[in-house]
Amino acid sequence: MLSIEDFPEYQIPGAKQVRFNPYESNGGSVVAIAGDDYAIIAADTRLSSGYSIHTRHQDKSFKLSEKTVLASTGCWCDTLSLASLIKARMQMYEHLHNKKMSTTAVAQMLSILMYNRRFFPYYVSNVLAGIDENGEGVVYSYDPIGHCERKKYSAGGTAGPLLQPVLDSQVGLKNQVGVERSPIPMERAKAIIRDTLISAAERDIYTGDGVIFNIITKDGIKQERIDLRKD
Amino acid sequence: MFGGFDNSYSPMWHNGPKPGAFYNFPATSTSSPKDEKQRDSQPITTGSSVIAFKYDTGVVISADTLISYGKLLRYRNVDRVFKVNDHTIIGVGGEYADFQFIKKYIDQKVTEDYCYDDNLQLKPKSLFNWLTRVLYNKRCRFAPLWIDIVIGGLQDGVPFLGHVDHRGRAYEDAAIATGYGKHLALPLIREKIENQTETLNAERAVELSKSCMEVLFYRDCQSYPQYKIATCDGQGARVDGPINVAQNWEQALNV
């Protein structure tokens, strides 16, 4: 059937055909810091689009194993699908190899699953945190088409660009001379995450309501919550 | 192909290619718009808001009985809340044809449960998750089922309430509203369930529903003064109505 695109000379400048947009930004921020023998990953609990808040209590972290937690923000429908796909693949791995998937293996798999949708990407900002095979805390961050990088700390989501420089300064101690570079204690990491997310809630309308921390150690995963501003 | 993001939200990534737009250099585009299936994706015959919330022992969902055709009040006596089985209820807004399409499959599931005769029935969480998958799958095919659906019920005796939209975006909450209900009714419901001085029982929940439907009728121009309320608790699921909004235009003098 002929449509207006077939007659470019009749097209009105400025008039645009509205097509279905499969994506939607549902907001949210994630911060993760890894220490020598632990990793902490925290995400806010606001799920919104535009100016409306859908829920104030959305846990954006997914416990993938006793050693790995994924926190994911962006297009929430993509997040849900991706998380359940990862869980299914991890179960398949366990049945096939008769062992749990390590954090590094999950990190690599996530990259592949993301790249698999290269031309219709999952519109999500992923941060994966956990304990690796050597018992060391790790953080992996991703871009929406599957680029993967191993780090010690990372921030993602709508306030990611706001938070990352703070982490570079406070955790990475970047461009500072004469500072003592010692392993970061867990309480300090927790305080930094708490402070950064409180600051993010001040400036980013898509971040707020609350924070859920996942503290990953060799003894398992512990969840903690704090409140953020709700406006 | 996916370069056409709208600007109504801030970009998640700056100074880089948009997702999926990496190889679309000028004049060497790998896909032209003509290759894509052209589908008109907008709802035509639509239902307006659905409001739903949990109370101490169950869940209540209510919606008016109107289906609009643009701004025309096209069908004025159509159900938008349903009992699925003894522990599941649903409420729907958005494109009604798309809902009727999906309702056929939900009914089929219920019939199947009945035929197996094993006392196992579709639970709200299962229906919620299934709808999530169906709607997400449809959005990935660029043929979304344009519905806003609220699923409520008792999941092993515990009240459950969830919402799925046409993209497959899903969440659970104690209070859910769609359409104008999100702006007008949700604050009223949240006030009652968050700052509770007295427990919200079934009777108070229905009262709250009724006052929300009244507010919606006054301010949403695509609403109707007739509605139905579905409740689900330990006594089973049922749909009450049609109920008429107790209109009081005296207060209009003060506005």
Side-chain angles (χ1 to χ4, degrees):
Chain A
M1 212 183 94
L2 290 172
S3 66
I4 191 75
E5 281 80 37
D6 300 304
F7 303 97
E9 61 272 33
Y10 287 97
Q11 279 175 21
I12 303 154
K16 242 169 60 180
Q17 199 192 356
V18 182
R19 297 189 55 244
F20 172 58
N21 181 188
Y23 296 116
E24 175 181 58
S25 174
N26 297 116
S29 298
V30 190
V31 181
I33 298 177
D36 278 348
D37 58 351
Y38 69 89
I40 304 177
I41 183 161
D44 75 313
T45 61
R46 177 176 291 181
L47 188 78
S48 53
S49 40
Y51 288 126
S52 67
I53 297 170
H54 301 302
T55 175
R56 300 184 189 276
H57 319 286
Q58 184 60 58
D59 187 357
K60 297 186 184 107
S61 53
F62 301 90
K63 183 182 165 185
L64 300 178
S65 72
E66 285 304 316
K67 290 187 163 130
T68 318
V69 173
L70 167 72
S72 185
T73 68
C75 184
W76 187 241
C77 60
D78 277 338
T79 296
L80 288 171
S81 303
L82 183 63
S84 58
L85 179 60
I86 295 167
K87 283 179 184 165
R89 288 296 184 95
M90 286 178 73
Q91 208 160 61
M92 287 161 71
Y93 180 100
E94 199 180 330
H95 291 147
L96 191 65
H97 300 287
N98 198 25
K99 65 173 183 186
K100 297 273 185 197
M101 230 170 148
S102 65
T103 300
T104 40
V106 178
Q108 181 59 39
M109 185 183 73
L110 179 53
S111 170
I112 294 164
L113 291 180
M114 298 281 284
Y115 193 78
N116 196 34
R117 289 266 298 255
R118 173 62 180 82
F119 297 105
F120 184 24
Y122 289 113
Y123 196 68
V124 291
S125 171
N126 285 319
V127 179
L128 186 83
I131 307 280
D132 73 357
E133 299 93 314
N134 309 317
E136 195 190 329
V138 282
V139 170
Y140 288 88
S141 75
Y142 298 83
D143 80 349
I145 50 173
H147 165 265
C148 167
E149 190 182 1
R150 186 178 163 140
K151 292 175 170 176
K152 273 300 198 182
Y153 59 90
S154 180
T158 45
L162 228 61
L163 300 179
Q164 190 65 45
V166 182
L167 297 182
D168 284 334
S169 154
Q170 296 298 304
V171 186
L173 305 173
K174 294 284 159 70
N175 302 306
Q176 294 173 49
V177 286
V179 288
E180 191 194 338
R181 284 164 211 278
S182 53
I184 182 164
M186 189 196 281
E187 286 309 312
R188 169 85 178 130
K190 225 193 280 184
I192 292 172
I193 294 174
R194 183 179 151 275
D195 290 351
T196 50
L197 282 168
I198 288 173
S199 314
E202 291 290 325
R203 292 285 178 175
D204 178 22
I205 60 164
Y206 300 112
T207 301
D209 295 326
V211 180
I212 297 181
F213 289 80
N214 286 274
I215 298 150
I216 312 157
T217 57
K218 62 178 192 325
D219 304 319
I221 298 164
K222 212 172 78 198
Q223 275 206 343
E224 283 177 23
R225 284 155 201 268
I226 59 165
D227 277 343
L228 288 181
R229 55 189 298 159
K230 293 182 167 34
D231 59 353
Chain B
M1 178 176 173
F2 305 105
F5 293 100
D6 65 16
N7 301 319
S8 58
Y9 50 83
S10 61
M12 292 178 72
W13 297 277
H14 302 270
N15 311 320
K18 286 173 181 169
F22 197 67
Y23 289 118
N24 286 332
F25 295 114
T28 55
S29 171
T30 50
S31 69
S32 78
K34 280 182 190 169
D35 299 337
E36 295 165 26
K37 287 178 194 164
Q38 288 284 333
R39 282 201 172 89
D40 259 346
S41 284
Q42 46 171 325
I44 309 292
T45 45
T46 56
S48 183
S49 350
V50 176
I51 61 164
F53 54 92
K54 291 181 193 172
Y55 56 90
D56 58 353
T57 55
V59 179
V60 56
I61 302 179
S62 40
D64 61 26
T65 58
L66 175 72
I67 299 295
S68 317
Y69 182 86
K71 279 178 185 160
L72 173 70
L73 313 186
R74 184 66 180 84
Y75 306 103
R76 293 174 295 175
N77 200 13
V78 179
D79 284 355
R80 295 203 290 124
V81 289
F82 297 89
K83 170 185 175 179
V84 174
N85 58 32
D86 287 334
H87 42 246
T88 312
I89 51 176
I90 52 173
V92 68
E95 172 64 60
Y96 200 71
D98 285 343
F99 169 68
Q100 287 179 317
F101 169 79
I102 206 77
K103 179 72 162 52
K104 195 170 64 184
Y105 292 96
I106 297 173
D107 289 342
Q108 232 164 57
K109 283 169 169 293
V110 173
T111 310
E112 218 169 90
D113 284 339
Y114 176 78
C115 292
Y116 276 123
D117 198 22
D118 54 4
N119 282 326
L120 293 178
Q121 282 185 321
L122 188 66
K123 291 177 185 174
K125 250 186 191 165
S126 311
L127 179 62
F128 174 71
N129 197 244
W130 180 79
L131 281 165
T132 305
R133 287 358 289 158
V134 172
L135 293 172
Y136 182 77
N137 198 260
K138 283 289 197 177
R139 87 121 217 184
C140 288
R141 288 160 197 264
F142 280 79
L145 294 175
W146 213 286
I147 55 173
D148 251 331
I149 189 160
V150 180
I151 302 98
L154 282 194
Q155 180 81 19
D156 306 320
V158 183
F160 170 91
L161 189 62
H163 174 221
V164 191
D165 84 340
H166 63 278
R167 292 190 174 93
R169 185 236 299 139
Y171 58 90
E172 294 170 29
D173 205 348
I176 289 172
T178 70
Y180 267 98
K182 183 161 247 159
H183 301 97
L184 299 172
L186 205 51
L188 302 172
I189 302 168
R190 279 184 179 160
E191 188 184 12
K192 275 278 191 300
I193 60 178
E194 279 170 16
N195 313 325
Q196 53 183 220
T197 47
E198 47 194 3
T199 52
L200 192 62
N201 58 22
E203 194 188 340
R204 290 200 189 96
V206 171
E207 278 313 306
L208 177 57
S209 266
K210 286 182 174 174
S211 64
C212 287
M213 294 312 290
E214 188 180 336
V215 169
L216 275 174
F217 172 64
Y218 290 142
R219 283 296 174 180
D220 178 3
C221 76
Q222 285 190 57
S223 64
Y224 202 64
Q226 187 188 63
Y227 59 94
K228 286 197 173 184
I229 298 182
T231 48
C232 181
D233 53 24
Q235 270 78 260
R238 68 170 206 271
V239 179
D240 291 317
I243 303 165
N244 286 302
V245 171
Q247 297 176 41
N248 175 15
W249 291 100
E250 294 294 312
Q251 55 188 292
L253 298 170
N254 304 318
V255 177

